[in-house]
Amino acid sequence: MNERTGVPLAGSPVPAVPVFSGATGVTMLEVYDWPTPDGLHGGSAHVHLASTEGYVVLSGAGRLQTLGEHGYAETGLSPGDCLWFPPGTIHRLVNDGELRILVVMQNAGLPEDGDAVLTFPPTVLADPDVYAQAAALTGDDVAAAARRRRDLAITGYLTLRESVLERGPAALEDFFAAAMELVSGRVDGWRERWRSGALATAELTGEHLDEIAAGVLGHLAGGGLWRIPRPAGPASYGMCGRLTTYPPSRAVRADLTLSLWAAASRVRRQTTRHGLGYDSDIEILSVRRGSGGNGTSAVVTGRVSQRGVTKRARRGADDGVQRTTLATIAAEAGVSLPTVSKVVNGRPDVAPATRALVERLLDQHQYGRVGARRPRRSGLIDLVLAGLDSPWAVEILRGVEEWGAAHETGVAVSAVRHGNARPASWTSGLTSHDTDGVILVTSKLTAEQLGQLRGAGIPLVVVDPVNPPPPELPSVGATNWAGGLVATEHLIELGHRRIGAVSGPADYLCSRARTDGYRSALERAGIGFDPALVRAADFRHEDGFQRGSELLDRPDRPTAIFAGSDQQAFGVYEAARQRGLRVPQDLSVVGFDDLPVARWVSPPLTTVCQPLADMGAAAANMLGDLIEGVPLRSNRVELSTQLIVRESTAPPPEPAQPPDPV
């Protein structure tokens, strides 16, 4: 509350980093000028299994050799050329002189996670362990390792090219079969990245079109500018050359003016919550700006001066206006009559933005619906958690409760009962009392449960869903893959090469994403992924202790462990203590969450900050919009994670020196 005016303040972080255009990735590529086994110069031959790749030639000269459905081809490359090729195109860059390319890659993150398969000889492709060893850039001389890998890929490529020239494109079938078999275990992780990236971006465009057609400001109020600073340090060694990458996890807000405008818009919107439209001036009183490793935040203090009030027009038989029909609603919303009918009857197959628009028009026209959507505004929402004994859950609750206090809404807290309970038992309880909406946290949502809530017309938002939610279901999460990546990169930069991981439950989306980020960081650094160093467990302290003990009892124990939660990290602390290992002198530990206690343990824990309270508040904001019939700007909100370096990580211990001879 503003002490000068008595008006609620508008203060919130700048929105999470929006997905880069079309969920693509951009990279600056300097193609290798090393001689190849066939007397040319250039990079490794490889294929993408699920992603389209594009090139814009910046400088130099070269050629692109391809194997595809039309056989073998070679295309010259000159500055200004723009080329692209779909999955299944085996390609090799030839450098004829200082060739530099801007690479635009579909499905950012997938190529680093194994979507790019090198054209190694068949004996190497047939064995995942042998392939991983051949693809890894190990040893002190990374350049030499990259060159050996490139030469092996060219050797396999030349054999494959000869087969295509003799037999035609059918000669590629065995290679493609081996490549798909090689990556089959990663498809679930890829699917989740696709859902949260490319698919979510495409669906968001559909929602934007709905808003434009309806004349709703919506997404246009969220403009702004983001940038990724040029990475420091030398370019990394990739398949085709030296790479300068621009990971979205390191994006920062580049503007501030629009952020203030957006905050002021939130103040204005809050004044229209309860059926009155206020024509208001908003005065910005102060700004506090801060920055972190992954973003910039601004807190805006303001006041609202009311100039006038406009009441919504009531329409109905009593004022002589003809009763509104569904056709009228459909025309105003810019949708079909069957779509409006689906909303009225509680059908699930309607996009949330469209549903919210139609619901708002139905309310404005006071269209009578029998049993379809019971009156709301009980002033109560439900927060359903997977458990009530976790500090993680407390932080989520704190964010939801703060939103509730600001909006004069009560929050009822309950826990999901698993085991032998009926699948929809907790939803039955919700539909039996008067609730305005539900926030479900880290729980599996079945089709039966979702149908029961939709049938009762109860808005729902999920936070960190265990299983992939339907695309139309609003959800809130964090950049789990980026968090796993930066945590592991931090350990690698300290000099660790044998890094273990205690992940969350293997079937949790967030667990898989964090482990994928861990794996990608290892592979980017040329460190082979060792499945024996990964242990799946629950996120509790006890599980961290048990799985950490298993890793530390190995004869080749890791020098660092990345834990999937802070509580697991505390368990690893205890496992190390019982074995006489010191943190960080003998073992470095990184957690995930940044719970309040993380800074008070000894030593203070290095961890990935997951903005739990902000996630709760974001979910509550989305739910509030759904309750009010305000179209959502996006069905998926992902808040940025940030590495917080404290005292639990250090360079690995020096290997023991043999005693001097007597």
Side-chain angles (χ1 to χ4, degrees), residues 327-338:
T328 304
I329 301 293
E332 285 195 32
V335 299
S336 66
L337 183 59

PDB file of all heavy atoms in Angstrom, residues 327-338:
ATOM      1  N   ALA A 327     -25.628 -16.404 -31.601  1.00  0.00           N
ATOM      2  CA  ALA A 327     -25.107 -15.884 -32.866  1.00  0.00           C
ATOM      3  C   ALA A 327     -24.518 -14.490 -32.674  1.00  0.00           C
ATOM      4  O   ALA A 327     -23.496 -14.131 -33.278  1.00  0.00           O
ATOM      5  CB  ALA A 327     -26.212 -15.858 -33.921  1.00  0.00           C
ATOM      6  N   THR A 328     -25.166 -13.671 -31.831  1.00  0.00           N
ATOM      7  CA  THR A 328     -24.642 -12.337 -31.537  1.00  0.00           C
ATOM      8  C   THR A 328     -23.286 -12.437 -30.857  1.00  0.00           C
ATOM      9  O   THR A 328     -22.340 -11.707 -31.201  1.00  0.00           O
ATOM     10  CB  THR A 328     -25.619 -11.564 -30.637  1.00  0.00           C
ATOM     11  OG1 THR A 328     -26.909 -11.519 -31.262  1.00  0.00           O
ATOM     12  CG2 THR A 328     -25.125 -10.147 -30.381  1.00  0.00           C
ATOM     13  N   ILE A 329     -23.190 -13.331 -29.869  1.00  0.00           N
ATOM     14  CA  ILE A 329     -21.926 -13.534 -29.156  1.00  0.00           C
ATOM     15  C   ILE A 329     -20.843 -13.986 -30.129  1.00  0.00           C
ATOM     16  O   ILE A 329     -19.709 -13.492 -30.105  1.00  0.00           O
ATOM     17  CB  ILE A 329     -22.090 -14.578 -28.043  1.00  0.00           C
ATOM     18  CG1 ILE A 329     -23.161 -14.147 -27.039  1.00  0.00           C
ATOM     19  CG2 ILE A 329     -20.763 -14.850 -27.349  1.00  0.00           C
ATOM     20  CD1 ILE A 329     -22.799 -12.935 -26.232  1.00  0.00           C
ATOM     21  N   ALA A 330     -21.175 -14.931 -31.008  1.00  0.00           N
ATOM     22  CA  ALA A 330     -20.195 -15.440 -31.969  1.00  0.00           C
ATOM     23  C   ALA A 330     -19.706 -14.329 -32.887  1.00  0.00           C
ATOM     24  O   ALA A 330     -18.512 -14.230 -33.193  1.00  0.00           O
ATOM     25  CB  ALA A 330     -20.805 -16.578 -32.789  1.00  0.00           C
ATOM     26  N   ALA A 331     -20.627 -13.465 -33.334  1.00  0.00           N
ATOM     27  CA  ALA A 331     -20.242 -12.378 -34.228  1.00  0.00           C
ATOM     28  C   ALA A 331     -19.314 -11.386 -33.527  1.00  0.00           C
ATOM     29  O   ALA A 331     -18.316 -10.932 -34.095  1.00  0.00           O
ATOM     30  CB  ALA A 331     -21.492 -11.661 -34.739  1.00  0.00           C
ATOM     31  N   GLU A 332     -19.634 -11.051 -32.266  1.00  0.00           N
ATOM     32  CA  GLU A 332     -18.787 -10.107 -31.532  1.00  0.00           C
ATOM     33  C   GLU A 332     -17.407 -10.696 -31.253  1.00  0.00           C
ATOM     34  O   GLU A 332     -16.398  -9.991 -31.270  1.00  0.00           O
ATOM     35  CB  GLU A 332     -19.457  -9.714 -30.215  1.00  0.00           C
ATOM     36  CG  GLU A 332     -20.600  -8.741 -30.371  1.00  0.00           C
ATOM     37  CD  GLU A 332     -20.981  -8.109 -29.047  1.00  0.00           C
ATOM     38  OE1 GLU A 332     -20.084  -7.923 -28.196  1.00  0.00           O
ATOM     39  OE2 GLU A 332     -22.169  -7.812 -28.850  1.00  0.00           O
ATOM     40  N   ALA A 333     -17.358 -11.995 -30.967  1.00  0.00           N
ATOM     41  CA  ALA A 333     -16.082 -12.640 -30.641  1.00  0.00           C
ATOM     42  C   ALA A 333     -15.272 -12.973 -31.885  1.00  0.00           C
ATOM     43  O   ALA A 333     -14.079 -13.275 -31.781  1.00  0.00           O
ATOM     44  CB  ALA A 333     -16.332 -13.913 -29.835  1.00  0.00           C
ATOM     45  N   GLY A 334     -15.921 -12.960 -33.048  1.00  0.00           N
ATOM     46  CA  GLY A 334     -15.218 -13.317 -34.270  1.00  0.00           C
ATOM     47  C   GLY A 334     -14.936 -14.800 -34.371  1.00  0.00           C
ATOM     48  O   GLY A 334     -13.933 -15.213 -34.959  1.00  0.00           O
ATOM     49  N   VAL A 335     -15.817 -15.620 -33.780  1.00  0.00           N
ATOM     50  CA  VAL A 335     -15.650 -17.071 -33.825  1.00  0.00           C
ATOM     51  C   VAL A 335     -16.927 -17.687 -34.368  1.00  0.00           C
ATOM     52  O   VAL A 335     -17.935 -17.007 -34.586  1.00  0.00           O
ATOM     53  CB  VAL A 335     -15.330 -17.644 -32.420  1.00  0.00           C
ATOM     54  CG1 VAL A 335     -14.038 -17.050 -31.887  1.00  0.00           C
ATOM     55  CG2 VAL A 335     -16.477 -17.384 -31.444  1.00  0.00           C
ATOM     56  N   SER A 336     -16.892 -19.003 -34.572  1.00  0.00           N
ATOM     57  CA  SER A 336     -18.060 -19.684 -35.113  1.00  0.00           C
ATOM     58  C   SER A 336     -19.095 -19.936 -34.021  1.00  0.00           C
ATOM     59  O   SER A 336     -18.776 -19.957 -32.823  1.00  0.00           O
ATOM     60  CB  SER A 336     -17.649 -21.017 -35.747  1.00  0.00           C
ATOM     61  OG  SER A 336     -17.173 -21.908 -34.749  1.00  0.00           O
ATOM     62  N   LEU A 337     -20.336 -20.162 -34.453  1.00  0.00           N
ATOM     63  CA  LEU A 337     -21.407 -20.477 -33.517  1.00  0.00           C
ATOM     64  C   LEU A 337     -21.127 -21.771 -32.747  1.00  0.00           C
ATOM     65  O   LEU A 337     -21.347 -21.831 -31.525  1.00  0.00           O
ATOM     66  CB  LEU A 337     -22.745 -20.558 -34.263  1.00  0.00           C
ATOM     67  CG  LEU A 337     -23.989 -20.811 -33.401  1.00  0.00           C
ATOM     68  CD1 LEU A 337     -24.166 -19.718 -32.369  1.00  0.00           C
ATOM     69  CD2 LEU A 337     -25.235 -20.898 -34.303  1.00  0.00           C
ATOM     70  N   PRO A 338     -20.617 -22.844 -33.402  1.00  0.00           N
ATOM     71  CA  PRO A 338     -20.293 -24.057 -32.636  1.00  0.00           C
ATOM     72  C   PRO A 338     -19.260 -23.809 -31.535  1.00  0.00           C
ATOM     73  O   PRO A 338     -19.312 -24.445 -30.478  1.00  0.00           O
ATOM     74  CB  PRO A 338     -19.754 -25.011 -33.709  1.00  0.00           C
ATOM     75  CG  PRO A 338     -20.396 -24.560 -34.980  1.00  0.00           C
ATOM     76  CD  PRO A 338     -20.486 -23.076 -34.858  1.00  0.00           C
TER      77      PRO A 338
END
